[in-house]
Amino acid sequence: MPELPEVESVRTRLAPLLEGRRIEQVEITDPRLTRPLRPQEVARELERELIDCVDRRGKYLIVRFESGRALLVHLRMTGSLLHAPAGTLPDDPHRRAVVRLDDGSDVAYRDVRRFGTWSLLEPADVAAYVDARVGQEPLGGAFRPRDLGARLAKRRAPIKAALLDQRTVAGIGNIYADEALWRARVHPLQPAGALTADEVRAVHRGIRRALEVGIARQGSTLTDYRLPDGSFGRMQTELNVYGRTGEPCRRCGTPIEKIRVGGRGTWYCPRCQRPPQAASSSSSRPSRSRRQSSA
Ligand SMILES: [Zn+2]
């Protein structure tokens, strides 16, 4: 499932191909993509729009038009975008939409499981729509450890589940949550509100580092994710814990274990990431000194 690094990699590649282009023709063949609006209606509204820029917030790709309107694309599980020069678009049974640009090139949307969404928003609605669904950008300069700490405070949910909540911080999914917690040496089941200030700082740093590495490798292609030229990301061979059951931890050599947290497969190192009950023997909120002495 595409997360921040994957969507950002798509954005980086698509932006120079789309910006300044006018949309000539749009065909949307899957009513699920645009509901509750009819696909023909959205297609007609998109035609003649001039693309100002291709933006991103969390896992949303935001195509902003000169009119002030914006198309919010969410790839969900298996969505991907392919850019093809004029007349080169290959056949694809999983294609759900095609946008023809004024240079003759096509942007095709493919989605095997059909959970992806296209939402065309009026200028006055764009910011409110996004802000209601997505928290701070983790790679932005304004995102500080204390912002993360404030979002986690008083939450009993496991830290892994809290990170998957898009309002905690934008763009983190199952892969990069596990990678961030491994980097931070924090167990995925630790209650979010029980993290010490040091652990919050470590998670903040872990999130940033995991996402930056993901972006540098242009994302993880585990199944369906592709870049807009059809190529794969390269992050999947460099993951530290995600999907590595039984393989040695790259830090300590201990076999990586898999558990379920909030219904999601979760990978961690049982030695680097101490379980919450071992970290706090008697007290429910471990003191920093005890945690350090037990490490
Ligand atoms: Zn380890």
Side-chain angles (χ1 to χ4, degrees):
M1 173 168 174
E3 304 180 28
L4 189 153
E6 287 75 32
V7 180
E8 179 61 18
S9 301
V10 170
R11 190 201 68 78
T12 307
R13 296 277 192 105
L14 272 187
L17 301 167
L18 267 58
E19 287 171 6
R21 300 253 77 98
R22 194 176 289 280
I23 293 177
E24 269 191 355
Q25 198 185 334
V26 179
E27 189 184 8
I28 302 173
T29 50
D30 185 355
R32 283 177 57 162
L33 197 55
T34 58
R35 68 183 175 188
L37 299 179
R38 290 171 50 242
Q40 297 86 347
E41 193 182 333
V42 174
R44 201 169 53 239
E45 291 292 327
L46 285 170
E47 285 171 357
R48 304 302 300 153
E49 286 282 6
L50 180 62
I51 299 169
D52 180 37
C53 68
V54 183
D55 210 347
R56 181 193 56 74
R57 277 284 278 123
K59 302 179 196 172
Y60 285 99
L61 195 67
I62 306 180
V63 183
R64 295 188 192 275
F65 302 112
E66 199 190 41
S67 64
R69 298 206 291 186
L71 178 69
L72 270 63
V73 176
H74 201 304
L75 303 171
R76 300 288 170 194
M77 302 288 288
T78 56
S80 66
L81 290 158
L82 176 72
H83 179 266
T88 65
L89 199 59
D91 288 336
D92 180 357
H94 300 295
R95 183 162 300 146
R96 310 298 174 199
V98 180
V99 174
R100 168 73 47 89
L101 302 174
D102 62 359
D103 62 354
S105 68
D106 292 306
V107 178
Y109 179 75
R110 153 186 244 264
D111 198 340
V112 175
R113 297 189 61 183
R114 303 169 63 214
F115 290 115
T117 55
W118 283 23
S119 307
L120 178 61
L121 299 180
E122 294 301 318
D125 302 332
V126 179
Y129 183 95
V130 173
D131 291 343
R133 290 162 176 78
V134 177
Q136 267 185 291
E137 282 296 317
L139 297 178
F143 177 63
R144 305 276 175 79
R146 65 167 178 268
D147 301 313
L148 179 63
R151 286 292 187 175
L152 300 178
K154 298 193 180 116
R155 291 185 65 165
R156 289 188 190 169
I159 180 65
K160 164 83 186 267
L163 292 181
L164 292 181
D165 178 349
Q166 296 302 294
R167 290 162 302 180
T168 305
V169 49
I172 300 174
N174 214 29
I175 297 175
Y176 294 95
D178 286 359
E179 295 294 307
L181 291 175
W182 178 84
R183 286 175 182 275
R185 299 173 187 252
V186 168
H187 194 284
L189 281 173
Q190 178 135 336
L195 263 62
T196 65
D198 281 350
E199 287 170 331
V200 170
R201 271 193 292 277
V203 171
H204 177 270
R205 203 165 46 238
I207 289 170
R208 290 223 206 203
R209 192 67 197 127
L211 295 175
E212 283 165 358
V213 173
I215 290 172
R217 305 290 180 270
Q218 311 223 333
S220 315
T221 298
L222 297 167
T223 50
D224 296 272
Y225 167 70
R226 298 286 184 279
L227 289 154
D229 64 356
S231 64
F232 294 1
R234 292 179 286 114
M235 186 63 205
Q236 59 279 6
T237 58
E238 293 185 40
L239 295 171
N240 290 302
V241 281
Y242 184 87
R244 297 188 66 233
T245 312
E247 293 178 50
C249 171
R250 298 195 203 277
R251 208 159 35 205
C252 75
T254 304
I256 299 299
E257 290 184 6
K258 182 186 184 184
I259 54 174
R260 291 195 91 77
V261 179
R264 308 293 299 276
T266 297
W267 287 266
Y268 73 106
C269 170
R271 183 160 175 207
C272 294
Q273 296 163 268
R274 308 289 301 271
Q277 59 271 26
S280 59
S281 48
S282 58
S283 154
S284 66
R285 189 185 171 98
S287 74
R288 189 182 301 173
S289 58
R290 180 185 294 135
R291 291 207 46 129
Q292 280 176 345
S293 64
S294 68

